[in-house]
Amino acid sequence: MKKSLANLTLIVGFFFLSGFHDLTDDRSVLNLEETVSVNDINRAIREKAGQKGGPRTYYFGFDLRTGPSEDARQYLPFLDFLSRATGLGFKLRFTSKTSSIIDDLGTGRVDFAAIGAVSFIKANIQYGAHILARGVNQQGKAEYRSMIVVSPDSTIKKLDDLKGKSFAFGSVSSTQGHLIPRITLNKNGIELNDLAQYGYTGSHRDCATSVIRGAFNACGMQDTMAVSLEAEGVLRILHVSPYYPSSGIAANKNVPVVVIERVRQALVDFDPLGRDKENLYDWQKTEMPNGFHIARSIDYAELQSWLNTFGLAPEQNNLETETPSQ
Amino acid sequence: MRIQTRIIILVMGVTLGMSLLIFKSEDLLLRDHLTTSQNEWVRTLVHSLAESVAQSTIDGEKLKTRQLLQRIVSNDRAFEYMYVTDFEGQIFAHTFNAGIPKVLALDILDDDHNQTHSHWQGEDEVRSVVAPLIDGMDAYLHIGINQKEINSIITAAQNDLWKIVGVVTISGLIIALLLGVRMSRPLKTLSEEISKYGEKGLAVAVDIKTTDPDIRHLAKSFQKMAAARSQTEAELVASRENLYLALEKAEQASEAKTYFLANMSHELRTPLNAIMGFSDVMKTQPFGPLGSEKYIEYVGDIHSSGSHLLSLISDILHMSKIEAGSYSLHIESFGFAGFIEDCLILVKEQARNSDIQLNNNTTDDLPPLMADYRAIKQCVINLLSNAIKFTPRKGTVSISASVSPQFYNLVVSDTGIGIAKKDIHKLTDPFTQVERTHTGKIHEGTGIGLTITRNLVEMHGGSLEFESEVGVGTTVIIRLPRGEITEKENLVM
């Protein structure tokens, strides 16, 4: 009898205890009256981060392209590769609208950056940034070019026909979307004043769209996208520029030489088509789909002189001829 | 505890346990389902918010981000609050009117800002669900979701489940009661019938109304057992009655035999004495010679046969008296030496005739013997006579006596033909002479001498013991108890 009652008590007790277990949890009461200021919390977090010590994390920046999520998906696997290859810690850091990758690199908000040729030249002039490597495109070249496109049914048949027409550029800081088309126009005797109208659409795609929609008669843009759009029959390529040094990876001047060299070697070793292909996301859509070649600041001397010519260069500074390692 | 009570407790326990198990399982499943649904909903919400919140966070547009969050919170009462922690882990924007509630601030400072927490605001549970603004990046949108709606769903479901538990438990109770009654009723009936059987000792017909094969089998087994026991008891009673009848008849026959023997012995001895007397006169021929030698020989034979017949009749009479309980012991004290001499005198002639040497090994330092002189003398003479009778010529018959703390021992031994061990137990049977296989002859005697001897010794409370080996000899020991001897009840042979 005692055994039966004990078993019954055990069964019922178990279920009751397990059934009411939730009520025995400690409650943290959300008291809306008792608050802490955001500034105090953030200050505490900063202090805590400062006390943590350990290996330093290097921040990697880039020009926002598609959108935060897509860009992050593209760069995070690449940073994982860099961490594995160098043994250093890397974190992605976005550039806000109120800033630029040049300023972020110059002010030390980021240590490394994927950066276009024009942006690097400006960062180098203004902040002494170092170029580590240039991206290799799908044709295996560490350089790129621009194309001038018009509507397929446009009456513009040669560059000289652009005089008196409206012309769209991409971003003002873009090499393919602004500087190279400006060089092309200049070399063919066309000044901005010769155009009926010109403007900056902000991106290559918007630039192409402006022509397709008829907002502008012509546009200077990235070569690969132009080829693709012509294949679709929505645009016609009017002119193809010569090749210029492509965009690459630059470092803040304060990054230790040892770290720079370690990262440079990792970039050169990077094999996005083979060994390191796994985990990469849409890497072929970047400006370095086939990896990197070693780059030197001198590679960008011609482009810098054109910037000077067009008055686009920031305050003149001595262009660094060698990276700190050399 | 009664079987019915046990069944009820067991069924109730199992029913209640199963009900609670189902209740708990359903509760957990429902909570899990609702929580999962809520998480999916939050993920979808965050996904749709992510781009704008992420971009405004990247751009450092705190006001824009806060306005966005506040618009969402104010449009849906399910949201208690929202706040964003940026890529540095710091609070970027929030919907709280004042600062950040302390308990949340502690979570954030503990680096738990990417974990889901539950808090309580009054009676309402507020679940802080966290989702990254951008996968893989340390920037999060924290959404405080009031669980009131979920809890109300759970409470409603729990109420329904409690009702089900109640119904199941009551059903279990009813089933347990029915089952208990159904199972215990036949057992109770069987128990009552067994009690009746135990009280009356009668066979009973057990009418068990049950479909349970085990209980039916038990009842049938009991009925079989009861029937078998009744039959056995009837047979036992019959056997006992038969035995009583047989015993009564045997006793009557024994009494008749004893009466007959006693009377017949007396009746036989009277004419026999005449035969003995006149044949003795004729042998001595006081009234002149008989004439022929043959007559003298025949008269000798008549006298000898008469003597044997007289001895036989005396023995039968003696045994009859013992069996009839009319023989009384007369206990007295007498010395061993004289007693044994008296015995030896009576068998000397027989020994001499058989060329047997008689040895008296009795010592003079023995204490006096307490016994019936006449009875023990007859016993010793019987033993000596038997020893002489079964000892070949030139053999030896010895007698000795000893006393131990408990017994008087009288020992008669011979160098005679001996007795097989298997026959020793037959020695004291009346009218029996053990066959001496090695001699192949039956010796003269009535066959009741040792029976009388045993009876007389046992009347003293003593015993008669035999040790013998064929071809070597026999030793017979009379053990009489020391101390006060009272006449023992006669033994029935």
Side-chain angles (χ1 to χ4, degrees), chain A residues 237-257:
Chain A
I237 296 169
L238 180 69
H239 180 265
V240 180
S241 76
Y243 282 102
Y244 292 91
S246 61
S247 57
I249 307 296
N252 176 288
K253 67 174 182 181
N254 295 321
V255 176
V257 174

Side-chain angles (χ1 to χ4, degrees), chain A:
Chain A
M1 177 180 177
K2 284 180 180 173
K3 197 174 176 182
S4 301
L5 285 173
N7 288 339
L8 183 64
T9 308
L10 195 67
I11 294 168
V12 174
F14 169 75
F15 287 116
F16 269 89
L17 284 176
S18 59
F20 295 115
H21 175 74
D22 293 343
L23 296 181
T24 62
D25 286 348
D26 289 336
R27 293 182 176 193
S28 55
V29 179
L30 192 64
N31 185 351
L32 298 176
E33 302 298 323
E34 196 176 355
T35 60
V36 180
S37 80
V38 172
N39 287 338
D40 287 345
I41 295 171
N42 287 345
R43 192 181 306 116
I45 289 169
R46 280 195 297 276
E47 286 172 2
K48 198 172 177 181
Q51 291 165 0
K52 272 188 175 175
R56 189 193 155 185
T57 298
Y58 291 93
Y59 289 96
F60 190 95
F62 60 96
D63 273 326
L64 203 60
R65 294 168 61 85
T66 316
S69 297
E70 279 297 295
D71 288 348
R73 288 179 72 183
Q74 221 165 36
Y75 278 106
L76 285 172
F78 174 65
L79 295 191
D80 283 342
F81 158 77
L82 279 184
S83 292
R84 286 196 306 274
T86 62
L88 303 170
F90 289 92
K91 271 192 173 179
L92 203 59
R93 183 164 268 175
F94 293 93
T95 298
S96 70
K97 275 183 183 173
T98 56
S99 181
S100 70
I101 191 65
I102 300 164
D103 292 333
D104 284 354
L105 196 59
T107 58
R109 190 168 176 274
V110 299
D111 300 292
F112 296 93
I115 195 167
V118 171
S119 294
F120 163 67
I121 292 164
K122 288 180 178 177
N124 179 263
I125 292 168
Q126 280 184 284
Y127 301 112
H130 306 298
I131 189 73
L132 276 65
R134 279 158 46 192
V136 178
N137 64 17
Q138 287 174 337
Q139 289 74 42
K141 291 175 178 293
E143 46 196 11
Y144 50 25
R145 58 187 177 178
S146 290
M147 292 182 178
I148 292 173
V149 294
V150 295
S151 177
D153 54 357
S154 173
T155 56
I156 300 169
K157 304 296 180 189
K158 56 185 187 298
L159 286 174
D160 199 49
D161 294 342
L162 289 172
K163 287 180 179 174
K165 298 290 190 292
S166 59
F167 195 95
F169 297 100
S171 167
V172 70
S173 60
S174 169
T175 307
Q176 287 175 294
H178 181 217
L179 183 59
I180 297 175
R182 282 288 298 274
I183 294 169
T184 301
L185 292 176
N186 185 276
K187 281 183 176 177
N188 287 280
I190 301 171
E191 297 297 330
L192 291 179
N193 292 337
D194 296 327
L195 299 171
Q197 184 190 351
Y198 70 93
Y200 299 95
T201 57
S203 71
H204 298 297
R205 182 161 295 280
D206 289 347
C207 189
T209 305
S210 68
V211 175
I212 293 167
R213 288 182 178 171
F216 287 91
N217 297 124
C219 157
M221 63 182 294
Q222 191 187 44
D223 53 348
T224 51
M225 191 181 289
V227 170
S228 171
L229 292 172
E230 187 184 53
E232 290 176 22
V234 295
L235 288 175
R236 175 164 58 85
I237 296 169
L238 180 69
H239 180 265
V240 180
S241 76
Y243 282 102
Y244 292 91
S246 61
S247 57
I249 307 296
N252 176 288
K253 67 174 182 181
N254 295 321
V255 176
V257 174
V258 176
V259 174
I260 286 177
E261 286 309 312
R262 205 186 291 183
V263 175
R264 193 200 302 273
Q265 187 60 51
L267 292 171
V268 172
D269 293 342
F270 181 52
D271 181 11
L273 299 177
R275 187 179 60 245
D276 304 314
K277 186 177 180 181
E278 201 175 356
N279 298 329
L280 289 177
Y281 174 77
D282 275 356
W283 190 252
Q284 74 281 2
K285 291 182 179 174
T286 66
E287 292 174 353
M288 51 287 280
N290 285 17
F292 297 93
H293 277 177
I294 288 178
R296 303 283 180 247
S297 301
I298 195 68
D299 298 342
Y300 297 92
E302 184 187 352
L303 288 177
Q304 186 181 350
S305 70
W306 279 110
L307 279 178
N308 291 333
T309 302
F310 298 136
L312 295 174
E315 192 174 336
Q316 188 70 36
N317 194 359
N318 288 330
L319 192 66
E320 190 185 56
T321 54
E322 294 297 337
T323 60
S325 63
Q326 293 170 320

